[in-house]
């Protein structure tokens, strides 16, 4: 890897770029230092230098110093020409040492048995002036030779004025514990990234005992059970493998150590193109206020949550993605602030890749200058989701590009605000998913969730904590105690994702930081959750509105290294949120095989394929195959064999066409993916899209099973399974840089064997019966099916996620306490609402403190999963689906009906029926369900909302295309 931050010519490879100002700069250095040498050595005496040595020094300063200058400028720490000069000057010394050392060793071996072992450590006698003088000169010689090289580097850096000098990573020492014969001892690990060495020493300031070069460090294995334990696999001098276990002070220290070693491996790697990138993503609702003068803590990931260790501050990110909402600055001002802030914390040169703005919603992408020639196919777009989908105060902006052979997509969105607008936010999400056009135009059948190898979605998503307003003070008290999991159980986004309503198959790192909204401006010790309006008191409970999620192709390397918020940026009522990722990338591959040789032509063949679709349509289907490894899209023939059962259609495909890749090398094919789209032959409408990874667990295995989920417009529509036969030319899977760090699974052998046997039996039974495990297949997410050895992890993950989908929103946590134990006004974190002007009405059931809020929509518009929640006070009806379109969420999977408890009586001030809104924003009366008894009918007259004791499960048809106005309204009441 070239040195990060090198200022070379734009678009050129820095390793082959020669600065145009090299000769004038080195000439000034040469003349200055040659003059000093001639002045100090020209006079006769003991300091006189021989003519031969003077000629060698003059030749180095005139000719060879230029080569060392270029090495230092490019970040290399080796000075080959200077080392040649040292060997020339020390030729006589080396020969003298070679002649004298054997005599001294013979004398030592002769005298050693007659004296104690401490004889060699004794200092010379004070009465022996010749011995003292000789030892002093030898020590002076040793220190001088060892310091000369560092001084030459310093001179070259200062003379050349290399801008990235401050970005050099200094040696960093970690204090660890190691077990030796059952006794825990302290030792120190010194990581020198620049020289590529890992040094082991007992004392922090003591001498170096052992060191290992970057090539001798084979792997790092993180313990899953102990977060601060690390195993380092080393290659010794005798080419033996050695494992060393170390215990760090905490998990952050261990993570910082691993990042530094990965940076060292990357720096001293022989690969010309990177295998891995470090990406910073940040989102901030600026609140229509200019930012403070210093925002560097945001880019350094300093604050609360999962943050980076200070030892990793020297590691620069390759790409910065910054999303803002309610941004009052223009594009030029904001980009200047970002570049100036990055220049304060690093000297790497960053280039603006692209910028996209929709009203006050903006996304900016910056990348290192050295990566500029690797980035191509830049695309930007935006979608409005404001009032009537015509205003840009709410919506999304997006950008995408190709980094060598890997596609990236980034979305910054600002969704509808308000705790009661959950359905409207869901509609915003589906509109963005459908109408935001990014990436390759050839992938028309796929939305943005399938078009990119790595997709990152960030922004002010405005999902709130779904709790009554009366619990505001209790929420603040929980935040003060850092009891975030109890509040996150009521986070609307988490609840929606568990029910597969939004962000299907997206991932989010665990939240360990406080809610980022709604703070008092200018401080971070107080939440301002009340606001007086003309219509009454408005409540904005503290919530995690600002989020970062991601989705990647199966078996792609993605690790979230930090996820948190800042503490010192206080100009807005939102805190900036940061998330950093380590992602794997592929390079532009050049095959080593002869393209004219027909014997090495490979192919990809799919066998025994069948699709299970959640539809009652019995039309004929075919498959479209898309991939970057294919020259064009490939279309299969129609499938004839179909069988349906209770709304599920199983389509068996016969012989599918062989896919011919553009490059048949195995190393290339194992990094590729197939995108499939199952379409109807009658209307060419898509019934599901999915992604299949061509990488298998065993590279020697030519045929392996696979399974991928099918989705359409963000909803799950079935799954597709079969086998892949991969025929490729000679080649092997190259070890990637991100494979350098592994995670050790702490499981006993007995448990593994037991789970293997159970999974093998289940798999055999399913294969014979032709049926599959829906709880497994629904969670594999397109990865190839594992063998019996790895089914244990799939079973556990699938069962856990299957239970999450089926369960209702969580009940009230037991940790919440009554109002007598709320935080006092002197608490470090408290809310501005302790004495509200209009206190909220409390529920009539005091035994349950936290009763989740629900919207005031009719029962026909409320999903079955939300049943069982009552509200403390009624909410106004909200706008939902656009009447020009049918509802996006068709709900192909309906959960079993649940009993809804009767709604508690309303406060006396709100017993009168609410004023009806316009017909386009609420349900019509002819579609309301009939009340099962008279009691429910009387209750409807008082609150103007029908809540039946048991709502039957309604099967909704999936709308294929936008329909007319009346059809869209009927879809809202289905």
């Amino acid at each position: 890897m070239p040195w990060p931050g090198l200022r070379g010519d734009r678009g050129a490879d820095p390793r082959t770029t020669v600065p145009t100002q090299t000769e004038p700069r080195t000439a000034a250095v040469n003349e200055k230092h040659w003059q000093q040498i001639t002045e100090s050595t020209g006079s006769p005496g003991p300091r006189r230098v021989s003519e031969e040595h003077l000629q060698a020094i003059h030749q180095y300063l005139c000719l060879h110093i230029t080569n060392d200058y270029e090495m230092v400028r490019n970040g290399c720490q080796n000075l080959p020409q200077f080392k040649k000069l040292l060997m020339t000057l020390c030729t006589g010394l080396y020969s003298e040492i070679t002649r004298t050392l054997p005599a001294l060793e013979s004398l030592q071996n002769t005298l050693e048995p007659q004296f104690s072992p401490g004889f060699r450590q004794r200092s010379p006698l004070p009465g022996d002036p010749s011995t003292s003088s000789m030892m002093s000169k030898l020590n002076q010689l040793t220190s001088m030779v060892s310091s000369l090289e560092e001084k030459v580097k310093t001179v070259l850096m200062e003379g050349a004025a290399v801008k990235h000098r401050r970005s050099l990573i200094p040696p960093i020492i970690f204090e660890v514990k190691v077990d030796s014969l059952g006794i825990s001892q302290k030792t120190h690990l010194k990581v020198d990234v620049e020289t590529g060495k890992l040094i082991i020493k007992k004392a922090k300031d003591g001498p170096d005992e052992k060191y290992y070069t970057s090539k001798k460090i084979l792997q790092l294995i993180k313990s899953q059970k102990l977060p601060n334990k690390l195993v380092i696999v080393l290659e010794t001098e005798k080419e033996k493998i050695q494992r060393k276990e170390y215990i760090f002070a905490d998990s952050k220290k261990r993570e910082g150590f691993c990042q530094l070693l990965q940076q060292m491996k990357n720096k001293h790697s022989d690969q010309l193109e990177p295998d891995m990138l470090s990406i910073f993503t940040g989102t901030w609702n600026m609140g229509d206020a200019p930012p403070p003068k210093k925002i560097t803590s945001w880019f350094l990931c300093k604050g609360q949550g999962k943050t980076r260790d200070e030892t990793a501050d020297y590691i620069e990110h390759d790409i910065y993605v910054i999303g803002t909402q309610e941004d009052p600055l223009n594009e030029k001002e904001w980009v200047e602030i970002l570049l100036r802030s990055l220049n304060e914390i690093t000297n790497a040169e960053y280039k603006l890749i692209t910028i996209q703005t929709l009203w006050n919603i903006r996304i900016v992408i910056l990348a290192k200058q050295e990566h500029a020639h690797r980035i191509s196919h830049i695309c930007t777009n935006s979608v409005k989701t404001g009032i009537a989908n015509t205003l840009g105060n709410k919506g999304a902006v997006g950008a995408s590009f190709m980094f060598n052979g890997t596609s990236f997509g980034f979305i910054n969105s600002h969704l509808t605000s308000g705790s009661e607008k959950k359905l409207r936010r869901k509609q915003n999400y589906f509109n963005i998913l459908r109408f935001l056009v990014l990436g390759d135009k050839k992938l028309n059948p796929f939305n943005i969730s399938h078009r990119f190898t790595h997709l990152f979605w960030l922004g002010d998503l405005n999902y709130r904590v779904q709790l009554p307003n009366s619990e505001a003070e209790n929420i603040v008290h929980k935040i003060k105690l850092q009891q975030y999991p109890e509040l996150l159980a009521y986070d609307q986004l988490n609840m929606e994702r568990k029910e597969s309503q939004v962000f299907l198959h997206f991932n989010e790192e665990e939240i360990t930081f406080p809610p980022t909204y709604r703070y008092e401006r200018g401080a971070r010790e107080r939440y301002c959750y009340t606001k007086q309006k003309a219509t009454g008191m408005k409540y904005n409970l503290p919530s995690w509105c600002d989020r970062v999620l991601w989705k990647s192709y199966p078996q792609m390397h993605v690790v979230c290294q930090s996820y948190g918020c800042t503490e010192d940026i206080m100009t807005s009522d939102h805190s900036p949120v940061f998330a950093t990722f380590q992602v794997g990338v592929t390079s532009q591959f050049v095959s080593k095989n002869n393209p004219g040789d027909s014997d090495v032509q490979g192919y990809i063949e799919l066998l025994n394929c069948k699709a299970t679709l959640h539809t009652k349509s019995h039309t004929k289907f075919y498959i479209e195959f898309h991939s970057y490894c294919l020259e064009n899209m490939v279309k299969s023939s129609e499938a004839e064999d179909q069988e349906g059962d209770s709304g599920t259609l199983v389509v068996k495909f016969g012989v599918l066409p062989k896919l011919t890749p553009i490059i048949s090398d195995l190393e290339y094919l194992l990094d590729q993916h197939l995108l499939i789209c199952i379409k109807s032959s009658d209307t060419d409408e898509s019934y599901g899209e999915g992604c299949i990874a061509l990488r298998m667990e065993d590279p020697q295995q030519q045929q392996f099973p696979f399974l991928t989920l099918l989705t359409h417009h963000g909803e799950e529509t079935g799954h597709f399974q079969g086998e892949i036969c991969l025929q490729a030319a000679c080649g092997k899977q190259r070890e990637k840089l991100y494979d350098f760090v592994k995670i050790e699974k702490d499981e006993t052998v007995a448990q593994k064997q037991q789970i293997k046997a159970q999974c093998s039996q289940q798999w055999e039974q399913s294969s014979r019966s032709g049926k599959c495990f829906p709880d497994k297949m629904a969670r594999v997410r397109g990865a190839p099916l594992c063998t019996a050895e790895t089914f244990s992890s799939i079973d556990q993950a699938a069962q856990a996620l299957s239970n999450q989908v089926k369960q209702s929103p969580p009940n009230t946590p037991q940790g919440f306490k009554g109002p007598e134990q709320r935080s006092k006004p002197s608490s470090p974190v408290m809310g501005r609402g302790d004495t509200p002007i209009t206190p909220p009405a409390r529920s009539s059931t005091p035994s349950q403190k936290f009763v989740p809020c629900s919207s005031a929509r009719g029962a026909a518009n409320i999903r079955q999963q939300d049943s069982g929640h009552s509200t403390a006070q009624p909410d106004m009806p909200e706008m939902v689906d656009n009447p020009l379109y049918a509802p996006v969420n068709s709900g192909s999977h309906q959960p079993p009906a649940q009993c809804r408890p009767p709604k508690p009586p309303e406060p006396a001030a709100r017993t009168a029926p609410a004023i009806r809104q316009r017909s386009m924003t609420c349900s019509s009366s002819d579609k309301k369900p009939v009340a099962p008894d008279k009691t429910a009918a009387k209750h409807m007259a008082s609150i103007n909302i029908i809540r039946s004791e048991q709502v039957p499960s309604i099967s909704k048809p999936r709308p294929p295309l936008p329909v007319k106005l009346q059809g869209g309204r009927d879809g809202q009441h289905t």
Side-chain angles (χ1 to χ4, degrees):
M1 282 289 293
W3 181 251
L6 181 62
R7 289 182 178 269
D9 294 341
R10 291 182 177 270
D13 192 303
R15 286 163 293 188
T16 59
T17 301
V18 179
T20 57
Q21 301 295 329
T22 300
E23 295 181 0
R25 289 176 178 174
T26 55
V29 176
N30 299 348
E31 183 178 355
K32 173 185 175 182
H33 290 282
W34 176 249
Q35 184 179 0
Q36 294 178 357
I37 291 175
T38 54
E39 291 177 357
S40 61
T41 62
S43 59
R47 295 182 55 118
R48 183 172 178 82
V49 182
S50 65
E51 293 295 335
E52 181 183 359
H53 289 174
L54 277 177
Q55 185 179 359
I57 296 174
H58 184 267
Q59 187 177 9
Y60 172 76
L61 293 177
C62 293
L63 298 177
H64 303 309
I65 194 174
T66 305
N67 297 332
D68 287 345
Y69 168 85
E70 288 302 320
M71 299 291 287
V72 174
R73 178 181 174 84
N74 291 338
C76 182
Q77 299 302 303
N78 296 324
L79 302 178
Q81 299 300 327
F82 180 73
K83 289 182 178 180
K84 289 181 181 180
L85 175 63
L86 281 182
M87 292 302 298
T88 302
L89 299 179
C90 299
T91 302
L93 176 64
Y94 180 76
S95 61
E96 189 67 24
I97 292 176
T98 305
R99 186 176 65 88
T100 308
L101 190 59
L104 295 177
E105 289 178 349
S106 300
L107 180 61
Q108 178 185 5
N109 294 334
T110 303
L111 299 176
E112 189 171 12
Q114 303 177 16
F115 298 93
S116 62
F119 174 79
R120 288 174 295 170
Q121 280 72 29
R122 293 177 183 175
S123 59
L125 296 176
D128 190 356
S130 60
T131 306
S132 302
S133 176
M134 182 184 66
M135 295 297 297
S136 175
K137 289 181 179 180
L138 286 177
N139 291 333
Q140 183 181 2
L141 177 64
T142 304
S143 61
M144 185 182 300
V145 173
S146 62
S147 62
L148 269 176
E149 188 173 355
E150 295 298 327
K151 290 182 179 180
V152 171
K153 293 178 185 177
T154 305
V155 169
L156 290 178
M157 288 179 178
E158 293 176 353
V162 181
K163 188 175 186 296
H164 69 263
R165 177 183 54 185
R166 287 186 297 161
S167 64
L168 297 177
I169 301 178
I172 298 176
I173 300 177
F174 295 84
E175 182 179 314
V176 296
K177 291 183 179 180
V178 59
D179 288 335
S180 177
L181 300 177
I183 302 175
S184 180
Q185 298 179 355
K186 285 187 178 180
T187 187
H188 296 80
L189 301 178
K190 180 180 178 181
V191 182
D192 195 340
V193 176
E194 307 306 326
T195 60
K197 293 180 181 180
L198 172 62
I199 303 168
I200 302 176
K201 48 198 306 185
K202 289 186 178 180
K204 183 176 182 181
D205 299 327
D208 299 343
E209 296 182 359
K210 294 182 181 179
Y211 74 89
Y212 298 90
T213 61
S214 60
K215 293 184 178 180
K216 297 293 184 180
I217 307 173
L218 303 181
Q219 200 169 60
L220 303 180
I221 303 177
K222 297 179 181 179
S223 173
Q224 194 175 17
K225 186 176 182 180
L226 301 175
N228 57 342
K229 178 183 175 182
L230 183 68
V231 178
I232 305 179
V233 182
L234 302 168
E235 181 182 350
T236 60
E237 297 177 355
K238 299 180 180 180
E239 297 183 356
K240 294 183 178 179
I241 306 301
Q242 184 179 10
R243 291 169 57 97
K244 292 191 175 184
E245 296 184 358
Y246 296 99
I247 305 296
F248 288 77
D250 50 40
S251 59
K252 290 180 65 174
K253 292 293 182 184
R254 186 188 73 172
E255 188 64 29
F257 177 83
C258 294
Q259 293 182 27
L260 286 173
L261 281 189
Q262 274 192 320
Q263 185 75 6
M264 182 175 68
K265 295 280 287 187
N266 190 24
K267 180 178 178 60
H268 299 276
S269 173
D270 297 332
Q271 298 296 328
L272 299 178
E273 295 295 330
D275 290 334
M276 183 179 61
L277 293 178
S278 178
I279 299 180
F280 173 92
T281 59
T283 174
W284 184 24
N285 187 319
M286 302 176 66
D288 291 323
K293 294 182 179 180
K294 192 175 184 63
I295 58 174
T296 54
S297 61
W298 189 17
F299 306 118
L300 288 173
C301 301
K302 301 296 183 183
Q304 302 186 68
K306 183 180 180 180
T307 58
R308 294 205 304 176
D309 188 66
E310 62 271 8
T311 56
D313 290 346
Y314 298 96
I315 302 177
E316 303 154 344
H317 299 290
D318 297 286
I319 298 174
Y320 283 84
V321 181
I322 299 97
T324 54
Q325 309 85 35
E326 299 182 15
D327 190 343
L329 306 178
N330 57 46
E331 292 183 351
K332 183 179 179 181
E333 293 175 341
W334 183 232
V335 171
E336 289 178 353
I337 292 175
L338 295 178
L339 292 176
R340 184 173 64 250
S341 300
L342 292 179
N343 191 40
E344 293 178 9
I345 60 177
T346 175
N347 274 347
E349 183 179 0
Y350 287 90
K351 176 184 177 182
L352 176 64
I353 300 301
T354 187
I355 184 171
Q356 178 72 9
T357 304
L358 172 67
W359 287 29
N360 292 339
I361 309 172
R362 178 173 298 142
I363 188 170
V364 180
I365 299 181
L366 307 171
K368 284 184 178 179
Q369 179 65 43
E370 65 184 82
H371 295 319
H373 66 284
R374 301 184 176 105
I375 296 177
S376 61
H377 299 81
I378 302 172
C379 181
T380 59
N381 200 354
S382 62
V383 171
K384 300 176 182 178
T385 61
I387 299 177
N389 291 336
T390 58
L391 298 183
N393 61 324
K394 296 294 187 292
V397 292
S400 64
F401 57 83
M402 292 288 297
F403 187 95
N404 283 344
T406 305
S407 58
F408 285 91
F410 301 93
I411 302 173
N412 172 33
S413 63
H414 192 188
L415 306 185
T416 302
S417 62
S419 177
E420 71 282 356
K421 300 295 181 63
K422 183 171 63 175
L423 293 178
R424 181 61 183 170
R425 281 188 287 275
K426 179 180 175 182
Q427 183 68 48
N428 294 161
Y429 164 76
F430 282 113
N431 286 342
I432 296 170
L433 203 64
R434 282 174 131 178
F435 303 125
L436 190 64
V437 180
L438 295 171
D440 192 354
K441 295 182 179 179
K442 295 181 181 179
L443 301 178
N444 288 331
F446 306 92
N447 58 37
I448 55 177
S449 65
H450 282 102
R451 291 193 177 192
F452 305 105
T453 311
H454 302 287
L455 175 64
F456 298 89
W457 194 311
L458 53 134
D460 182 3
L461 306 184
N462 257 322
Y463 283 96
R464 310 301 175 90
V465 174
Q466 189 168 308
L467 290 171
N469 296 335
S470 58
E471 298 298 334
E473 297 178 19
N474 214 1
I475 293 174
V476 174
H477 180 68
K478 289 295 176 183
I479 296 173
K480 175 186 174 182
L481 299 178
Q482 297 185 1
Q483 297 176 353
Y484 306 137
E486 299 181 13
L487 294 176
L488 286 169
Y490 288 85
D491 177 72
Q492 291 179 341
L493 180 57
N494 290 344
M495 295 166 65
E496 291 278 278
R497 289 182 59 216
K498 286 180 180 179
E499 299 170 2
S500 300
Q501 298 298 301
V502 293
F503 291 99
L504 186 64
H505 303 162
F506 276 79
N507 302 285
E508 185 183 23
E509 183 65 17
E510 180 185 1
I511 295 178
T512 57
F513 53 92
T516 56
Y517 176 80
R518 181 178 185 251
Y519 283 107
E520 181 181 5
R521 295 178 187 253
R524 283 300 176 266
E525 296 82 16
R526 188 180 180 90
Y527 284 95
C528 182
Y529 56 80
T530 58
K531 185 177 182 180
Q532 184 66 41
K533 289 191 173 183
T535 56
M537 184 66 67
K538 173 67 174 179
Y539 277 80
N540 289 302
L541 299 181
S543 302
W544 288 273
C545 295
D546 310 284
R547 312 286 275 269
V548 179
L549 300 96
W550 77 93
K551 179 183 179 183
S552 298
Y553 281 171
Q555 295 203 11
M556 287 301 298
H557 175 76
V558 183
V559 176
C560 182
Q561 295 180 326
S562 63
Y563 190 33
C565 65
T566 62
E567 296 179 298
D568 56 347
I569 302 177
M570 301 175 289
T571 54
S572 171
D573 51 3
H574 291 253
S575 286
V577 171
F578 53 80
T580 60
F581 298 89
Q582 184 187 87
V583 299
V585 294
T586 57
S587 59
Q588 298 288 354
F589 188 83
V590 178
S591 178
K592 304 178 182 62
N593 302 318
N594 186 5
D597 191 355
S598 59
D599 295 337
V600 297
Q601 182 61 51
Y603 61 85
I604 305 169
E605 186 176 11
L606 281 77
L607 307 172
N608 305 323
C609 295
K610 66 177 181 180
T612 303
L613 305 175
H614 303 308
T615 180
K616 295 182 179 180
S617 175
H618 286 271
T619 181
K620 293 183 179 181
F621 297 92
Y622 66 91
I623 305 178
E624 286 184 357
F625 297 95
H626 300 256
S627 178
Y628 289 112
C629 68
L630 302 178
E631 187 174 359
N632 296 305
M633 182 268 294
V634 179
K635 180 178 178 181
S636 72
S637 58
E638 295 179 352
E640 299 291 341
D641 192 6
Q642 300 180 2
E643 55 183 19
D645 182 19
S646 65
T648 300
L649 184 67
V650 179
V651 182
K652 297 181 179 180
F653 293 89
V655 180
L656 294 175
K658 289 185 177 181
L659 307 177
T660 304
I662 56 179
I663 300 177
S664 300
D665 197 291
L666 182 63
E667 179 183 345
Y668 167 79
L669 290 178
L670 292 178
D671 289 332
Q672 303 303 313
H673 295 79
L674 284 179
L675 293 177
I676 63 169
C677 180
I678 300 179
K679 290 188 173 183
S680 167
S681 301
D682 298 336
T683 61
D684 291 331
E685 177 194 357
S686 175
Y687 276 71
E689 305 94 42
C691 181
I692 305 173
L694 297 185
R695 181 179 301 179
M696 70 284 284
E697 296 292 335
D698 184 9
Q700 304 299 329
Q701 186 181 6
Q702 294 186 350
Q703 186 169 333
F704 56 94
F706 73 90
L707 184 145
T708 180
L709 288 179
L710 298 177
T711 61
H712 184 62
H713 291 324
E715 293 186 352
E716 187 175 330
T717 59
H719 58 266
F720 181 71
Q721 65 181 23
E723 294 180 344
I724 289 182
C725 181
L726 191 62
Q727 181 66 36
C730 59
K732 62 180 181 179
Q733 184 175 359
R734 180 176 61 86
E735 185 177 357
K736 305 293 185 180
L737 180 62
Y738 47 78
D739 294 330
F740 175 64
V741 180
K742 298 288 186 181
I743 298 179
E744 182 182 27
K745 295 182 179 180
D746 299 292
E747 296 178 354
T748 61
V749 179
Q751 290 177 344
K752 287 184 178 180
Q753 293 178 350
Q754 183 180 3
I755 296 175
K756 288 177 190 176
Q758 294 177 356
C759 295
S760 299
Q761 295 177 0
Q762 293 177 356
W763 175 255
E764 291 177 359
Q765 295 175 1
S766 65
S767 302
R768 294 171 183 173
S769 60
K771 297 182 180 180
C772 51
F773 304 104
D775 57 337
K776 296 177 189 174
M777 294 185 295
R779 307 301 163 208
V780 179
R781 302 187 181 182
L785 284 178
C786 303
T787 57
E789 285 78 8
T790 55
F791 257 120
S792 58
S793 60
I794 296 180
D795 289 335
Q796 295 172 0
Q799 186 64 31
L801 289 173
S802 178
N803 295 337
Q804 289 178 358
V805 173
K806 294 178 182 179
Q807 75 177 22
S808 299
N811 297 325
T812 303
Q814 299 178 0
F816 291 102
K817 300 180 181 180
E820 66 278 358
Q821 299 187 16
R822 293 174 185 156
S823 58
K824 300 178 181 180
S826 60
S827 302
V829 180
M830 59 184 299
R832 179 187 297 173
D834 302 314
T835 56
I837 300 176
T838 307
R842 296 187 177 270
S843 172
S844 59
T845 58
S847 60
Q848 184 177 1
K849 285 302 303 174
F850 278 14
V851 184
C853 301
S854 61
S855 120
R857 297 178 54 82
N861 289 333
I862 300 178
R863 291 191 57 86
Q864 304 294 333
Q865 291 88 341
D866 289 335
S867 63
H869 294 293
S870 59
T871 180
Q873 51 187 0
D875 300 319
M876 296 300 293
E878 61 170 287
M879 290 188 62
V880 286
D881 302 330
N882 191 331
L884 296 177
Y885 299 97
V888 179
N889 184 13
S890 59
S892 54
H893 284 297
Q894 291 295 335
Q898 301 176 0
C899 298
R900 185 186 302 276
K903 187 176 181 181
E906 302 294 328
R910 294 182 179 266
T911 53
I915 302 176
R916 291 186 57 84
Q917 305 295 318
R918 297 178 60 183
S919 59
M920 66 176 296
T921 61
C922 62
S923 304
S924 58
S925 58
D926 56 345
K927 295 293 181 179
K928 295 182 179 180
V930 180
D933 51 21
K934 297 181 180 180
T935 305
K938 294 180 181 180
H939 190 59
M940 176 197 67
S942 61
I943 63 175
N944 202 19
I945 297 177
I946 299 178
R947 295 182 180 270
S948 59
E949 292 185 357
Q950 184 173 1
V951 182
S953 178
I954 302 175
S955 178
K956 302 180 183 179
R958 178 172 56 84
L961 295 171
V963 294
K964 296 182 181 180
L965 181 62
Q966 185 61 36
R969 292 179 177 176
D970 293 340
Q972 296 182 10
H973 309 310
T974 305

